[in-house]
Amino acid sequence: MTTMITIPPQPVEVPPFSGDADGVTGYGDGVRTASATFDDVGSWITGSSKPEGWAGEAAAAYARSTEQPATDANAASMALRKVWQATEDYATALTALKERWTDLGHEREVLVKDRADLVADVNAAKAATPAEVAELKDRARVLDTEIRGFGQDVSTYVDDTTRADAEMLAAFEGASSLAKARSSFAAGGGVDPADLAAAHLIAMRALGATPEQVNGWWDGLTEEQQQALIAAHPDLIGNTNGIPAGARDEANRTLLAQDLAILRLREADGTLTDEETDALVNAEAAEEALANLTGPTAIDPVTGKPVQTQLYIYDPRAFGGDGKVAIAVGDLDTADNVSVQVPGLGTDGSSIGTHAERALNVYGASRWADPNALEVSGEDAATEGGELLADDLDGLRASADDRSHLTLIGHSYGSTTAGHAAHDQPVDVDDIVFLGSPGVGGDTDHADELHVDEGQRATLISRR
Amino acid sequence: MGGAVRHAARGRRHVDGADSGGFSDRVRAAATRFAQTWAEEARCLERQAESQADRLRAAVRTYLESDQVTAQKFVVLVPHLEEGRR
């Protein structure tokens, strides 16, 4: 007697994956920076380009003639910003789709093997008992169900891929010309909502808002509003305490890209001023430090993945050209443990590379405790520096998702700055470590005089 | 408007150099077109700003010239002036 066992069809092929989330993010970063630059053009035309004290008919005619270019620049800025936001979503979708594509590939391999095993077993079962035949039929039925389910999963995956592509294409189409950008800008009343939000933040700062208040305001914005502010006002977002580190990082990387582009252009033209030369040195040091923290030596010893970095503070023109730069190794917004390292004399923005390596070492050496290290580089007078440092510490506290264990590490004269911060201000740190300290500063004679709660620690490692 | 020219040039470089290789096959061409379009728009803005700067320079020249002419006329006029009060 012949028994029919229906062998299920081969599982459908998974279409090849195309796309690279990192590449899309890089493209989006360029678009975001271009958006910020168009915004600068608009602001420059309506602001700085008008000669002061110029009045009369000619001045009015000039003002009228600048209206359209200024509107166009602002419309372009908003159009590009929308595309940047779409690239962010697209990159996130690509990452998830790539994972699904990999999983589907593995699933298919298993199903193909199961089917081949079934075929082999059926071919070998020339004189199978009824029980053996029943078992083979059962396997065929189960496999058929699995292969059909797999086909559904592949179909859903293909639909999702198509949807992600379609949304990205729609974003490109919506900003495919200046005419469309003008139309969208006009539909929004010719006002950039990011400008209104920025004006609000500037007013908050002027009124002395605390980092907690800034953070509360930021959390109340929609994601779209937050992204708009990052793209249109990176100078404001990048260095305001209370703004989360992730947003500051995006804003500061935009500023860094803008600085490198314009300062290198002027360097090539031979029109770089002394102040701009200092700023370029600091900007290139920040660029190099970030690049070094993405190399093969910057691998998380636990996960084996590249460490995350954040450009937390970026102001290459601060302190008369010494610059102020802070790079975090890890994620300051979600870290359970954070160490803030304050270097000593002779430190300026250009030495951020050395200090970023130290931060990486602290991160790597104590990875078991999940520390995330922030290296601040900038030379201040210790008292004033302590005040600024205290503001930065308040900002870190306010913007983190949860309260982290915060350790302040001061080296050499950096310990004096740290000492002033902890003595003169009500800072909220858990531990303070003074390394090679010439004196803690602020007439501090005892750890009790520092704002470190009882049960927590102020440690003097050595004195010279 | 020199500042606007520089800003616009900077904006153009950021989109002009954007690598669309990370997009899927279906999206890549649109990404390339988008970058090219906005690089061209930035070029237009640069040209507009440059032309505006030229016109501003012309206005400055006109101001200076008329200022100079007035000054010269005044110099010529001075010898013919006399105190009107007695």
Side-chain angles (χ1 to χ4, degrees):
Chain A
M1 189 182 92
T2 303
T3 304
M4 288 288 289
I5 297 178
T6 306
I7 303 294
Q10 285 282 12
V12 294
E13 295 275 355
V14 184
F17 184 83
S18 76
D20 167 48
D22 288 343
V24 170
T25 301
Y27 180 99
D29 287 347
V31 173
R32 182 188 68 212
T33 307
S35 165
T37 307
F38 273 114
D39 191 77
D40 288 349
V41 174
S43 304
W44 199 90
I45 293 174
T46 50
S48 310
S49 79
K50 286 183 182 166
E52 216 171 296
W54 190 24
E57 280 182 32
Y62 170 73
R64 279 196 300 277
S65 72
T66 60
E67 279 170 12
Q68 191 59 52
T71 303
D72 284 352
N74 287 327
S77 169
M78 282 188 63
L80 264 60
R81 190 192 307 155
K82 281 183 185 165
V83 168
W84 164 55
Q85 288 165 345
T87 62
E88 293 258 291
D89 294 342
Y90 185 69
T92 304
L94 274 186
T95 302
L97 287 167
K98 180 90 182 273
E99 276 178 25
R100 282 168 65 189
W101 178 81
T102 306
D103 290 346
L104 287 170
H106 291 150
E107 268 180 58
R108 186 173 188 280
E109 278 174 23
V110 171
L111 291 172
V112 167
K113 183 177 180 307
D114 286 353
R115 183 178 178 278
D117 289 347
L118 178 66
V119 169
D121 290 348
V122 167
N123 287 338
K126 299 294 179 200
T129 63
E132 287 169 335
V133 169
E135 193 221 323
L136 285 171
K137 280 185 171 178
D138 232 27
R139 274 174 61 191
R141 199 167 40 248
V142 169
L143 188 59
D144 186 60
T145 305
E146 287 176 351
I147 286 176
R148 283 174 197 280
F150 175 78
Q152 279 296 322
D153 290 347
V154 171
S155 174
T156 307
Y157 160 78
V158 170
D159 287 347
D160 290 347
T161 307
T162 303
R163 190 176 304 115
D165 283 349
E167 284 172 5
M168 191 65 246
L169 285 168
F172 280 132
E173 182 55 31
S176 60
S177 67
L178 181 59
K180 286 188 178 170
R182 279 176 183 158
S183 168
S184 300
F185 189 60
V191 178
D192 185 346
D195 290 345
L196 298 177
H200 188 89
L201 179 55
I202 290 166
M204 282 181 78
R205 281 173 39 150
L207 294 170
T210 63
E212 287 80 8
Q213 288 169 326
V214 170
N215 189 253
W217 168 81
W218 178 264
D219 284 347
L221 299 176
T222 64
E223 195 181 334
E224 193 177 340
Q225 288 171 320
Q226 292 173 351
Q227 287 185 322
L229 272 168
I230 292 168
H233 298 279
D235 50 335
L236 185 61
I237 299 306
N239 294 305
T240 295
N241 287 324
I243 303 289
R248 289 177 64 150
D249 175 56
E250 284 190 292
N252 284 329
R253 284 179 198 256
T254 300
L255 292 175
L256 175 61
Q258 286 184 310
D259 275 342
L260 289 171
I262 190 96
L263 294 173
R264 282 175 175 157
L265 184 69
R266 288 188 185 163
E267 187 181 39
D269 289 347
T271 57
L272 213 55
T273 63
D274 288 347
E275 289 78 15
E276 287 170 342
T277 303
D278 289 342
L280 179 58
V281 167
N282 292 335
E284 289 187 330
E287 180 191 37
E288 190 181 343
L290 287 167
N292 289 340
L293 290 172
T294 55
T297 54
I299 299 296
D300 187 309
V302 173
T303 64
K305 292 181 177 172
V307 295
Q308 184 180 346
T309 57
Q310 290 173 328
L311 186 54
Y312 186 67
I313 298 172
Y314 173 73
D315 184 356
R317 295 167 186 81
F319 308 124
D322 281 344
K324 187 176 182 187
V325 179
I327 292 178
V329 180
D331 184 349
L332 292 174
D333 292 330
T334 58
D336 292 330
N337 296 279
V338 174
S339 76
V340 176
Q341 299 166 47
V342 189
L345 275 180
T347 304
D348 59 21
S350 66
S351 33
I352 186 65
T354 307
H355 300 298
E357 277 174 32
R358 280 190 200 155
L360 179 64
N361 290 339
V362 170
Y363 180 91
S366 349
R367 182 63 181 87
W368 56 271
D370 187 28
N372 287 255
L374 175 66
E375 184 69 45
V376 182
S377 178
E379 180 181 328
D380 320 323
T383 308
E384 188 194 354
E387 201 175 315
L388 295 172
L389 177 60
D391 287 345
D392 289 335
L393 293 171
D394 286 348
L396 272 176
R397 276 285 187 236
S399 59
D401 292 348
D402 295 304
R403 193 182 190 286
S404 60
H405 187 101
L406 186 56
T407 302
L408 181 59
I409 303 173
H411 174 244
S412 182
Y413 278 89
S415 68
T416 313
T417 304
H420 271 289
H423 176 271
D424 305 347
Q425 320 289 329
V427 293
D428 182 12
V429 296
D430 298 296
D431 295 314
I432 305 181
V433 180
F434 301 111
L435 292 161
S437 177
V440 170
D443 297 326
T444 305
D445 294 322
H446 195 275
D448 291 348
E449 295 169 33
L450 302 174
H451 289 94
V452 182
D453 291 342
E454 199 175 329
Q456 293 165 333
R457 291 155 292 180
T459 308
L460 186 68
I461 301 294
S462 68
R463 179 181 277 275
R464 62 182 183 190
Chain B
M1 294 293 282
V5 177
R6 282 195 300 276
H7 283 307
R10 207 172 58 186
R12 172 168 55 78
R13 274 183 201 90
H14 290 299
V15 276
D16 217 3
D19 178 5
S20 54
F23 290 92
S24 72
D25 298 339
R26 288 184 291 200
V27 180
R28 198 168 301 130
T32 305
R33 264 198 315 278
F34 175 83
Q36 288 168 346
T37 298
W38 284 100
E40 186 48 41
E41 290 297 352
R43 258 183 223 107
C44 284
L45 197 58
E46 271 177 69
R47 285 195 290 270
Q48 273 184 52
E50 193 55 66
S51 140
Q52 194 83 359
D54 286 344
R55 279 179 281 168
L56 260 184
R57 279 189 282 269
V60 168
R61 265 199 308 278
T62 307
Y63 272 101
L64 291 176
E65 281 165 11
S66 55
D67 207 34
Q68 202 178 5
V69 168
T70 307
Q72 282 167 352
K73 284 183 176 171
F74 190 71
V75 168
V76 172
L77 188 64
V78 165
H80 303 286
L81 292 177
E82 59 181 47
E83 177 64 56
R85 289 175 297 182
R86 297 288 174 202

